[in-house]
Amino acid sequence: MQTETQIDHLDLSPQLRAAADAKDAQTLNALLDPLPYSEALRELLNLAPEERDVVLSLVSPELAAELVEEAPHEMGADLIERLEASRAVEILDEMDSDIQADLLGDMEDADAEAILSEMDAEDAADVRRLVEYDDDTAGGLMMSEVFKFSDTQTVGNVLKQLASDDEDFDRYRGQHPYIMDAQGHPVGVVSLRGLLTAKRSMPLTSIMVEPMTVDVSTSLETLDDIFNEHPFLGIPVVEADGRLVGVVLRTAVSQALLERSESETLKLQGVVGDELRSMPTWLRSKRRLAWLSANIVLNIIAASVISAYEETLTAVIAIAIFLPMVSDMSGCSGNQAVGVTMRELSLGLVRPVDAMRVWMKEISVGVINGIALGILIGIVAWIWKGQPALGLVIGLALALNTMLAVSIGGVVPLLLKRLGQDPAAASGPLLTTVTDMAGFFFVLSLATLMMPWLI
Amino acid sequence: MQTETQIDHLDLSPQLRAAADAKDAQTLNALLDPLPYSEALRELLNLAPEERDVVLSLVSPELAAELVEEAPHEMGADLIERLEASRAVEILDEMDSDIQADLLGDMEDADAEAILSEMDAEDAADVRRLVEYDDDTAGGLMMSEVFKFSDTQTVGNVLKQLASDDEDFDRYRGQHPYIMDAQGHPVGVVSLRGLLTAKRSMPLTSIMVEPMTVDVSTSLETLDDIFNEHPFLGIPVVEADGRLVGVVLRTAVSQALLERSESETLKLQGVVGDELRSMPTWLRSKRRLAWLSANIVLNIIAASVISAYEETLTAVIAIAIFLPMVSDMSGCSGNQAVGVTMRELSLGLVRPVDAMRVWMKEISVGVINGIALGILIGIVAWIWKGQPALGLVIGLALALNTMLAVSIGGVVPLLLKRLGQDPAAASGPLLTTVTDMAGFFFVLSLATLMMPWLI
């Protein structure tokens, strides 16, 4: 118990700050190296930006690279961007080319150029090429380092090269080597087990099998399907002319899926961009405000419905109590439908063309829940204000608005996707505006109709 | 373009239904087998539950297993549970033990027992043991199939066994074999490269290195840290007595992280449980209603604040227009803070003890955004109703409530986590209730104070 509490409250900031002030590289390494990377990163981000720069300039390039890789991309790019270009290159050199490209792609062009000009010319050319591909395609996810041999080699050549203990081979752990022809096309793949059990004099071409390849433009979803269906650890990526340009690892695909899921959660909550609290306040504030200001306009539109019925409201002031309740409750029902659609989209279980099918499934739940919630809130309104007609107005409005809300919540993400818009960022505000407007309209127009029984 | 549209609209339901009616196993296999599993699953889920049963009973056990594995766990369990126990066993036999355990753990006890009693006794014992572990621990994530050799064997023995082309070895693709002592403790691990380059007569013990192991209770977060720091494809899992009981694969950890992230998104949107639209309507309706009914109670509490100020409201009816706007806008600000905290929690960048630090970061954004939005909405109210005092009331209320909302949104998930509650499911409703109550209170109490200038 004692130990756990201590670990739980561990905060190295004062020690890190002191070591950074003293430019004491050894102490910084000693403090951060033993921690899991996620904890070391948390400690780093607890420091002020200038202190972070000093820490990343002083610790070993390996450790600095791990800390930057552990951070979400945008934050990682920011951490590197603030360093001297020569130090940035030292750290980037510890990373695979796909990660280098992600980081450089997230930087200001001038900063990226400064770093690229300090890099080894060949590495820089690799990275420049990788940055061009879309993030969520095989090109954007692949690394250009490939475990490969030539089709003129024998099993014995390969075993000898493996035995020479070249450090490079370590990064291919578990991957199967590809066999290349003279034009750079992948013509085969051999298993390590195949190598183990073949005679040393045999040519590689006699034990290889034809490799599966993907085009640079293959989507993340398709890659996920392929890795689900095959036990490969990586798939070679080819350009249109069939030349090998890299390999996408299974782990890169899992990582991209996880990042996409986390960024969707953020967007559904109204945070666009890759916010961490260690970013500058003005930046966080500006990004959140951008989204909120659009929302305030939508809110004003919805509120204008109330304004149109001020007479009804003055006559039956009790309605004002229930207006926010009806709009909030149906907003919640609609958000549930958004959540399920977003999930089914990410699992590949619905497509934009399935909108009608989704609506039928959604409206059946909407009718049941609308009636149930309508009766519940209707009884509450009746008892609270002693007016059966008020209960009827509020209950009926909530029932109708719930049906509308689940319809919109279920279908709108599909329509946005079809229009090429981002369903995660836009579904919520659209849903809320319509359910607010409709909720106010149902309550107030029903109340106007029922006025004789309400006053 | 033509082709893409055709694929986009592909719907095999009529053909599948016809083949299922005719009990035509061959056609079913021919229709589903060529599709990526995610598409085949979508086609399956588009059928009625009874039709799905027929399809899963007739297609090859391999294909049935892939379809079930592609579905989220709860759905997968449901698909299997509905089949004859003997058929369920045929399908489960195609899966690794960790997946078997997940599926059986999600079933009704009686159904799981019926299936276990039909299984091979040893496999059933394995699964019974695995089901006992918590889902998000090494025990719950591990499979009991392990690539292992005895410490009495030589390199030659192993190569011979590998060459014998035992189908079992295929499932260990890329993993390194563990070396076991007579008591079942993992005493070493050898790399395939080590095997390739060693003499056949050497004992395994001379080329093995000491393996890293984890305890069955190791958490998902810790496993993620370990796989981030080491290139292993799997880690052996040991009981307290040091005996090897299984291996956790890197892929199982990525999969669990992705599932957790997706289920958190759903919960933040107010969907508790693993809903897919292919589930029965009554079940989806019941689960959503459970969450909504709790919400309705919270809404009534919030609305009672309005009720307490009916006099003020009657005197200045224009306020009714702005009540939902203030509560909605601050709810949005609070949700942004919830989103960022949930993300930082999942990245391991904040811990429950960091609540004060998070609050300081959050309130600085809250002050800026509160003032900005307050001025904006204040001007709108002033111009709309021609009353500067109304602008002041609404603007000030929104500013104060925004600061409160981001404080609650940022900190509440940490407090819930500390109390052992689920922050994803409970943060939203708690936040909304408090920001509704406080929003109504700020607007109405300020209006009461300013009454002389408002009428």
Side-chain angles (χ1 to χ4, degrees):
Chain A
M1 226 33 226
Q2 180 73 27
T3 329
E4 200 168 296
T5 318
Q6 280 174 352
I7 291 177
D8 211 32
H9 287 82
L10 190 74
D11 179 1
L12 298 177
S13 302
Q15 287 155 275
L16 287 171
R17 213 163 270 140
D21 283 347
K23 308 258 180 261
D24 180 352
Q26 208 178 343
T27 304
L28 288 173
N29 270 318
L31 285 168
L32 292 173
D33 217 15
L35 300 181
Y37 299 142
S38 59
E39 278 179 39
L41 177 65
R42 188 181 64 230
E43 295 290 347
L44 181 71
L45 295 181
N46 281 343
L47 302 176
E50 298 70 29
E51 295 166 337
R52 292 176 208 158
D53 299 346
V54 177
V55 172
L56 287 177
S57 303
L58 293 174
V59 295
S60 70
E62 295 80 13
L63 178 58
E66 294 295 351
L67 289 171
V68 170
E69 286 194 40
E70 180 74 18
H73 290 172
E74 198 187 332
M75 185 85 218
D78 186 57
L79 288 172
I80 292 268
E81 205 168 7
R82 299 172 50 99
L83 304 175
E84 298 278 329
S86 59
R87 173 64 180 173
V89 172
E90 268 177 40
I91 297 174
L92 287 167
D93 275 346
E94 299 294 325
M95 303 174 184
D96 287 331
S97 54
D98 55 336
I99 315 269
Q100 294 175 344
D102 285 344
L103 289 169
L104 288 160
D106 274 341
M107 292 182 194
E108 304 282 327
D109 285 349
D111 290 326
E113 271 311 315
I115 292 174
L116 283 164
S117 68
E118 293 266 329
M119 276 174 84
D120 174 85
E122 200 177 319
D123 288 355
D126 259 5
V127 170
R128 278 180 211 276
R129 201 164 41 77
L130 289 179
V131 169
E132 296 303 311
Y133 298 111
D134 280 342
D135 276 353
D136 279 358
T137 63
L141 294 164
M142 73 186 181
M143 50 194 260
S144 42
E145 298 83 357
V146 182
F147 190 19
K148 60 187 175 190
F149 295 97
S150 146
D151 61 357
T152 58
Q153 291 178 286
T154 63
V155 172
N157 293 151
V158 173
L159 291 181
K160 211 157 117 193
Q161 242 179 292
L162 282 175
S164 74
D165 212 348
D166 186 335
E167 180 192 310
D168 264 1
F169 284 127
D170 269 348
R171 69 165 68 181
Y172 304 122
R173 177 187 281 248
Q175 286 186 60
H176 291 183
Y178 304 111
I179 316 302
M180 312 290 297
D181 70 11
Q183 286 74 47
H185 303 113
V187 291
V189 58
V190 298
S191 69
L192 291 178
R193 197 163 134 224
L195 286 172
L196 278 173
T197 53
K199 288 224 171 66
R200 299 204 168 208
S201 58
M202 286 168 86
L204 285 176
T205 46
S206 70
I207 62 162
M208 73 189 189
V209 295
E210 204 181 327
M212 179 162 185
T213 61
V214 293
D215 184 78
V216 284
S217 63
T218 310
S219 70
L220 179 58
E221 290 75 19
T222 307
L223 289 168
D224 185 35
D225 279 339
I226 293 174
F227 280 118
N228 278 341
E229 266 154 82
H230 304 279
F232 310 147
L233 297 173
I235 304 179
V237 183
V238 295
E239 285 277 14
D241 60 5
R243 277 183 321 103
L244 182 86
V245 286
V247 60
V248 188
L249 298 185
R250 178 183 285 273
T251 49
V253 170
S254 322
Q255 186 60 32
L257 288 171
L258 181 60
E259 279 166 18
R260 190 173 66 174
S261 165
E262 283 175 347
S263 113
E264 268 182 10
T265 310
L266 267 187
K267 281 191 254 174
L268 283 168
Q269 297 287 97
V271 185
V272 177
D274 202 12
E275 178 177 337
L276 293 181
R277 292 215 172 79
S278 41
M279 291 174 170
T281 303
W282 64 265
L283 179 65
R284 296 166 54 217
S285 178
K286 193 179 74 176
R287 287 192 183 171
R288 290 199 198 175
L289 266 183
W291 189 89
L292 290 170
S293 326
N295 225 294
I296 218 170
V297 174
L298 297 177
N299 259 286
I300 292 168
I301 298 172
S304 61
V305 175
I306 308 183
S307 191
Y309 284 93
E310 268 186 45
E311 256 176 65
T312 305
L313 209 48
T314 313
V316 196
I317 196 70
I319 284 176
I321 302 172
F322 295 97
L323 278 180
M325 212 191 281
V326 169
S327 72
D328 181 72
M329 286 300 298
S330 23
C332 287
S333 291
N335 269 324
Q336 291 180 323
V338 169
V340 176
T341 294
M342 291 302 299
R343 173 144 189 264
E344 293 195 336
L345 267 176
S346 86
L347 291 172
L349 296 179
V350 296
R351 302 157 300 179
V353 292
D354 295 326
M356 182 50 87
R357 199 194 303 252
V358 164
W359 180 74
M360 307 245 294
K361 290 277 184 187
E362 211 40 69
I363 195 66
S364 56
V365 169
V367 167
I368 299 176
N369 290 7
I371 292 175
L373 295 171
I375 291 177
L376 203 60
I377 206 177
I379 292 175
V380 169
W382 175 5
I383 294 174
W384 195 347
K385 296 293 161 186
Q387 280 187 308
L390 184 69
L392 185 62
V393 165
I394 304 296
L396 191 54
L398 180 60
L400 292 172
N401 209 35
T402 299
M403 295 174 207
L404 178 70
V406 297
S407 303
I408 293 174
V411 173
V412 155
L414 299 177
L415 299 183
L416 285 168
K417 178 112 184 173
R418 187 150 209 187
L419 297 173
Q421 301 297 311
D422 182 352
S427 297
L430 271 175
L431 169 77
T432 317
T433 310
V434 178
T435 54
D436 278 4
M437 288 184 72
F440 301 152
F441 172 77
F442 285 136
V443 172
L444 291 164
S445 62
L446 285 170
T448 309
L449 279 174
M450 305 272 296
M451 195 58 88
W453 295 271
L454 284 170
I455 46 177
Chain B
M1 226 34 227
Q2 179 72 28
T3 330
E4 199 168 296
T5 317
Q6 280 173 352
I7 290 175
D8 211 33
H9 287 82
L10 189 73
D11 179 1
L12 299 177
S13 302
Q15 287 154 276
L16 287 171
R17 212 163 271 140
D21 283 347
K23 308 260 179 259
D24 179 352
Q26 208 178 343
T27 304
L28 288 173
N29 270 318
L31 286 168
L32 292 173
D33 217 14
L35 299 182
Y37 298 143
S38 58
E39 279 180 37
L41 178 65
R42 188 182 64 232
E43 295 290 347
L44 181 71
L45 294 182
N46 280 343
L47 301 175
E50 300 69 31
E51 294 167 336
R52 295 176 205 156
D53 300 345
V54 176
V55 172
L56 287 177
S57 304
L58 291 175
V59 295
S60 69
E62 295 81 12
L63 177 58
E66 294 295 351
L67 290 171
V68 170
E69 287 193 40
E70 181 73 18
H73 290 172
E74 197 186 334
M75 186 83 219
D78 186 56
L79 288 172
I80 291 271
E81 204 168 7
R82 299 173 49 98
L83 303 175
E84 298 278 328
S86 59
R87 173 65 182 174
V89 171
E90 267 176 42
I91 298 175
L92 287 168
D93 276 345
E94 299 293 325
M95 303 175 184
D96 288 330
S97 54
D98 54 336
I99 314 270
Q100 293 175 344
D102 285 344
L103 289 170
L104 287 159
D106 273 341
M107 291 181 193
E108 305 281 325
D109 287 349
D111 290 325
E113 271 312 316
I115 292 175
L116 283 164
S117 67
E118 292 266 331
M119 277 173 85
D120 173 85
E122 201 177 317
D123 288 355
D126 260 4
V127 170
R128 279 181 210 276
R129 202 163 41 76
L130 290 178
V131 169
E132 295 303 311
Y133 298 111
D134 280 343
D135 275 354
D136 279 359
T137 63
L141 295 163
M142 74 185 180
M143 51 193 259
S144 43
E145 299 83 356
V146 181
F147 190 19
K148 61 188 175 188
F149 294 98
S150 145
D151 61 359
T152 58
Q153 289 178 289
T154 63
V155 172
N157 293 151
V158 172
L159 291 181
K160 211 157 116 192
Q161 241 179 291
L162 283 175
S164 73
D165 213 349
D166 186 334
E167 180 193 309
D168 263 0
F169 285 126
D170 269 348
R171 70 164 68 181
Y172 305 122
R173 176 186 283 246
Q175 286 185 60
H176 291 185
Y178 304 111
I179 315 302
M180 313 291 296
D181 71 10
Q183 287 73 48
H185 304 113
V187 292
V189 59
V190 298
S191 69
L192 291 179
R193 195 162 135 226
L195 286 173
L196 278 173
T197 55
K199 289 222 173 66
R200 300 202 168 210
S201 58
M202 286 169 86
L204 286 177
T205 48
S206 69
I207 62 162
M208 72 188 190
V209 295
E210 203 179 328
M212 179 163 187
T213 61
V214 293
D215 184 80
V216 283
S217 62
T218 309
S219 70
L220 179 58
E221 289 77 17
T222 307
L223 290 168
D224 185 35
D225 279 339
I226 293 174
F227 280 118
N228 277 342
E229 266 154 82
H230 304 278
F232 310 146
L233 296 174
I235 304 178
V237 182
V238 295
E239 285 277 14
D241 61 4
R243 276 183 321 103
L244 181 86
V245 286
V247 59
V248 187
L249 298 185
R250 179 183 284 273
T251 49
V253 170
S254 327
Q255 187 59 32
L257 288 170
L258 182 59
E259 279 167 16
R260 190 175 64 174
S261 165
E262 283 175 347
S263 113
E264 268 181 9
T265 310
L266 268 187
K267 281 192 254 175
L268 283 168
Q269 298 287 97
V271 184
V272 177
D274 201 14
E275 177 176 338
L276 294 181
R277 291 216 172 78
S278 42
M279 291 176 171
T281 303
W282 63 265
L283 178 65
R284 296 166 55 215
S285 178
K286 194 178 74 174
R287 288 192 182 172
R288 291 198 196 176
L289 264 184
W291 189 88
L292 291 170
S293 326
N295 225 294
I296 217 170
V297 174
L298 297 176
N299 258 287
I300 291 169
I301 297 172
S304 61
V305 174
I306 308 183
S307 191
Y309 285 92
E310 269 186 43
E311 256 175 66
T312 306
L313 210 49
T314 313
V316 197
I317 197 71
I319 285 175
I321 300 172
F322 294 97
L323 279 179
M325 212 191 280
V326 169
S327 71
D328 181 72
M329 284 302 297
S330 25
C332 287
S333 291
N335 270 325
Q336 291 181 323
V338 169
V340 177
T341 294
M342 292 302 300
R343 173 142 189 265
E344 294 196 336
L345 268 176
S346 86
L347 291 171
L349 296 179
V350 296
R351 302 157 300 179
V353 293
D354 295 326
M356 182 49 88
R357 199 194 303 253
V358 164
W359 180 74
M360 307 245 294
K361 291 275 184 187
E362 210 40 69
I363 194 68
S364 56
V365 171
V367 167
I368 299 175
N369 290 7
I371 292 174
L373 295 171
I375 291 176
L376 203 61
I377 206 178
I379 293 173
V380 169
W382 175 6
I383 294 174
W384 195 346
K385 295 293 162 186
Q387 281 188 308
L390 183 69
L392 185 64
V393 165
I394 304 297
L396 191 55
L398 181 60
L400 292 173
N401 209 35
T402 300
M403 296 173 206
L404 178 70
V406 296
S407 304
I408 293 174
V411 173
V412 156
L414 298 177
L415 300 183
L416 286 168
K417 179 112 182 173
R418 186 152 211 184
L419 297 172
Q421 301 298 311
D422 182 352
S427 297
L430 270 175
L431 170 75
T432 318
T433 310
V434 179
T435 53
D436 279 3
M437 288 184 71
F440 301 152
F441 172 78
F442 285 136
V443 172
L444 293 163
S445 61
L446 285 171
T448 308
L449 278 175
M450 306 272 295
M451 195 60 88
W453 294 271
L454 285 169
I455 46 177

